[in-house]
């Protein structure tokens, strides 16, 4: 019989500290930066738990005795500066909307951009829409928002998640505008985070970049097997159930200890309701997951050029490869030439279908990688 307790293995959003697996060292480092007012750039693979970590930091920071407001903004959905200004102003409004006369003050400061209060069609939450037409509008809008933030009578932490997105905007001077505005408000702490290592390193470590050496670099790795094992076992034990150590090892190896995939597998196992989970039960769930996602992966196969799909198959079969242009690898999997492999690898990297992780090229989507192994490995 299935247990009625809430499934503790969250795969989207942040549900509170009891559902957050231990990242003590990372939280300590970020908290120290907040106290010392040091800007931080946080980099990790996609779905490694970066956003959950930032929202956990927000929960802890706002819960301390000293008043502190954390403004969290996700830039991933934005395609240009106008959309960026909309999500930034919306994030601020949602944090301060209950404050007396805040909307009037905000709309007054942004008056020239004709602000309009709307409703997010997905969440039902209030949203701000601005009319941005020129570069001057962008600079003025950012400055007005930062000035409004600086006037809040408490410490402020401003989080830009998926910050690398600004490099993709059609407005080529976005970085310079944003950096100029940010420099004018040194009392506001900024955390820039994202999942594109090379783009963020170019922004913050290249001498010609406006953000060069403007923040401390921090890389988010995998949660240790020990910590994750204790977290998982603890939640099963709390529900009066048990998961064997060998079953945990099987999960960790199959998911590469990549946070979202661990969470997803454990979530499916948990919802099955079995009291004792062994390796056989884990394997049944892993097979179910590959079957559930199969239509999506078949679609990849149909959409990708043949040479790119063959390269994905080869990388998955090897469970990662350090030298994809090596002659042995090319001949082993019937690939054409080093130049063709290089071109395919570049294209797959741009599509975020492969990633260079732990000194090896891997298929980025772990489930897709396992599906390829299952169906195409000899």
């Amino acid at each position: 019989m299935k247990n009625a307790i809430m499934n503790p293995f969250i795969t989207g959003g942040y549900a509170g500290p009891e559902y957050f697996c231990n990242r003590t060292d990372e939280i300590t480092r970020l908290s120290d930066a907040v106290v010392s007012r040091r800007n931080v750039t946080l980099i990790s693979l996609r779905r490694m738990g970066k956003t959950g970590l930032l929202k956990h930091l927000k929960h802890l920071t706002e819960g301390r005795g000293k008043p502190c407001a954390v403004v969290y903004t996700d830039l991933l959905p934005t395609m240009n500066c106008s959309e960026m200004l909309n999500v930034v102003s919306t994030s601020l409004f949602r944090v301060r909307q209950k404050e007396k006369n805040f909307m009037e003050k905000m709309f007054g400061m942004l008056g020239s951009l004709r602000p309009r209060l709307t409703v997010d069609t997905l969440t039902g939450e209030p949203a701000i829409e601005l009319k941005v037409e020129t570069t001057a509008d962008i600079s003025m809008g950012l400055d007005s928002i930062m000035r409004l933030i600086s006037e809040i009578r408490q410490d402020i932490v401003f989080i830009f998640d998926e910050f690398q997105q600004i490099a993709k905007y059609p407005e080529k001077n976005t970085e310079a505008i944003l950096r100029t505005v940010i420099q004018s408000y040194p009392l506001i702490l900024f955390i820039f985070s994202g999942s594109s290592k090379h783009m963020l390193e170019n922004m913050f470590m290249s001498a010609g970049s406006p953000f060069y050496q403007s923040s401390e670099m921090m890389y988010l790795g995998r949660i240790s097997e020990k910590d994750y094992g204790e977290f998982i076992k603890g939640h099963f034990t709390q529900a009066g159930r048990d998961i064997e150590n060998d079953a945990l090892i099987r999960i960790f190896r199959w998911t590469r200890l990549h946070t979202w995939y661990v969470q997803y597998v454990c979530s499916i196992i948990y919802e099955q309701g079995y009291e004792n989970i062994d390796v056989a039960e884990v394997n049944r769930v892993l097979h179910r997951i590959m079957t559930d996602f199969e239509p999506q992966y078949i679609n990849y196969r149909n959409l990708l050029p043949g040479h790119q799909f063959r390269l994905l198959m080869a990388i998955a079969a090897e469970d990662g490869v350090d030298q994809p242009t090596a002659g042995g690898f090319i001949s082993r999997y019937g690939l054409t030439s080093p130049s063709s492999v290089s071109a395919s690898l570049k294209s797959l990297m741009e599509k975020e279908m492969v990633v260079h992780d732990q000194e090896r090229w891997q298929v980025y989507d772990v489930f897709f990688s396992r599906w390829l192994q299952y169906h195409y490995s000899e």
Side-chain angles (χ1 to χ4, degrees):
M1 179 179 177
K2 295 183 180 180
N3 199 301
I5 297 175
M6 171 182 167
N7 192 322
F9 300 105
I10 309 299
T11 57
Y14 174 74
E18 63 269 36
Y19 304 109
F20 181 80
C21 183
N22 176 17
R23 280 194 181 272
T24 305
D25 291 344
E26 294 89 341
I27 283 294
T28 298
R29 184 171 171 185
L30 286 171
S31 297
D32 288 346
V34 169
V35 171
S36 301
R37 314 307 293 170
R38 294 195 311 273
N39 293 343
V40 177
T41 299
L42 177 67
I43 302 174
S44 78
L45 294 176
R46 200 176 299 283
R47 293 179 163 183
M48 192 58 80
K50 164 179 54 62
T51 299
L53 174 65
L54 292 172
K55 291 191 173 180
H56 187 58
L57 175 71
K58 182 179 190 298
H59 170 83
L60 295 177
T61 301
E62 291 180 338
R64 292 194 179 108
K66 186 177 180 181
C68 183
V70 180
V71 182
Y72 172 87
T73 300
D74 183 5
L75 296 182
L76 186 60
T78 64
M79 301 294 290
N80 52 50
C81 282
S82 177
E83 293 179 3
M84 176 190 67
L85 279 177
N86 286 342
V87 297
V88 169
S89 55
T90 295
S91 297
L92 176 59
F93 179 76
R94 289 176 182 173
V95 169
R96 312 302 298 184
Q97 60 181 307
K98 294 181 180 179
E99 185 179 302
K100 185 179 179 181
N101 299 326
F102 183 77
M103 186 172 77
E104 290 83 353
K105 185 175 183 180
M106 184 177 193
F107 277 33
M109 293 184 75
L110 295 169
S112 64
L113 300 182
R114 287 167 282 176
R116 189 166 67 95
L117 186 63
T118 63
V119 176
D120 188 306
T121 55
L122 290 177
T123 66
E125 292 188 88
I128 303 296
E129 187 177 289
L130 305 174
K131 188 73 172 178
V132 179
E133 297 175 336
T134 67
T135 300
D137 288 342
I138 298 166
S139 182
M140 188 277 293
L142 281 170
D143 185 70
S144 296
I145 291 168
M146 293 305 164
R147 183 152 42 94
L148 192 60
I149 292 172
S150 70
E151 291 177 1
I152 297 172
R153 295 182 179 277
Q154 60 190 92
D155 288 340
I156 297 292
V157 179
F158 202 104
I159 298 174
F160 281 113
D161 204 358
E162 300 300 346
F163 187 67
Q164 76 278 344
Q165 193 69 17
I166 70 169
K168 302 177 183 179
Y169 293 167
E171 301 89 353
K172 299 303 180 184
N173 57 345
T174 305
E175 287 182 54
I177 293 172
L178 192 56
R179 178 60 178 149
T180 299
V181 173
I182 285 175
Q183 281 181 315
S184 302
Y185 298 93
L187 296 182
I188 301 175
L189 172 68
F190 291 90
I191 296 178
F192 310 95
S193 73
S195 52
S196 178
K197 182 173 180 285
H198 72 282
M199 291 179 73
L200 287 168
E201 286 182 341
N202 282 339
M203 283 181 172
F204 290 92
M205 298 174 69
S206 297
S209 169
F211 281 95
Y212 177 57
Q213 291 187 340
S214 62
S215 76
E216 173 185 340
M217 304 298 286
M218 178 175 171
Y219 297 86
L220 185 65
R222 287 162 169 77
I223 299 171
S224 71
E225 289 190 8
K226 177 179 179 296
D227 287 340
Y228 227 151
E230 290 175 356
F231 174 79
I232 294 167
K233 269 186 168 290
H235 280 295
F236 276 103
T237 300
Q238 190 175 347
R241 300 158 65 184
D242 179 65
I243 182 167
E244 295 180 359
N245 288 333
D246 287 347
L248 286 174
I249 292 170
R250 173 64 172 150
I251 293 169
F252 294 155
R253 297 294 181 271
W254 200 84
T255 61
R256 300 184 201 144
L257 206 58
H258 195 129
T259 305
W260 185 86
Y261 299 95
V262 174
Q263 292 288 117
Y264 192 93
V265 171
C266 289
S267 177
I268 299 296
I269 292 171
Y270 192 91
E271 76 177 21
Q272 301 302 302
Y274 295 109
E275 292 187 358
N276 298 290
I277 297 95
D278 57 14
V279 173
E281 174 61 22
V282 171
N283 286 336
R284 282 192 290 272
V285 167
L286 300 183
H287 188 270
R288 170 189 155 174
I289 288 170
M290 287 191 292
T291 302
D292 288 346
F293 282 89
E294 188 165 67
Q296 176 181 329
Y297 299 149
I298 290 173
N299 197 40
Y300 289 165
R301 184 188 64 192
N302 294 338
L303 291 174
L304 286 170
H307 53 92
Q308 291 181 22
F309 191 76
R310 285 193 297 275
L311 179 57
L312 282 175
M313 290 164 47
I315 293 172
E318 298 270 312
D319 202 14
V321 59
D322 55 352
Q323 295 182 336
T325 57
F329 176 74
I330 289 173
S331 61
R332 192 155 58 247
Y333 294 99
L335 305 174
T336 52
S337 66
S339 60
S340 174
V341 168
S342 292
S344 294
L345 193 69
K346 182 176 184 293
S347 180
L348 290 169
M349 183 178 65
E350 290 171 351
K351 296 171 183 173
E352 295 194 339
M353 300 201 77
V354 296
V355 64
H356 196 250
D357 177 39
Q358 296 182 320
E359 306 303 320
R360 297 171 69 79
W361 286 99
Q362 301 269 10
V363 177
Y364 208 151
D365 183 331
V366 176
F367 291 168
F368 184 34
S369 182
R370 298 310 184 195
W371 182 83
L372 288 167
Q373 283 181 321
Y374 182 78
H375 286 283
Y376 295 102
S377 295
E378 295 181 358

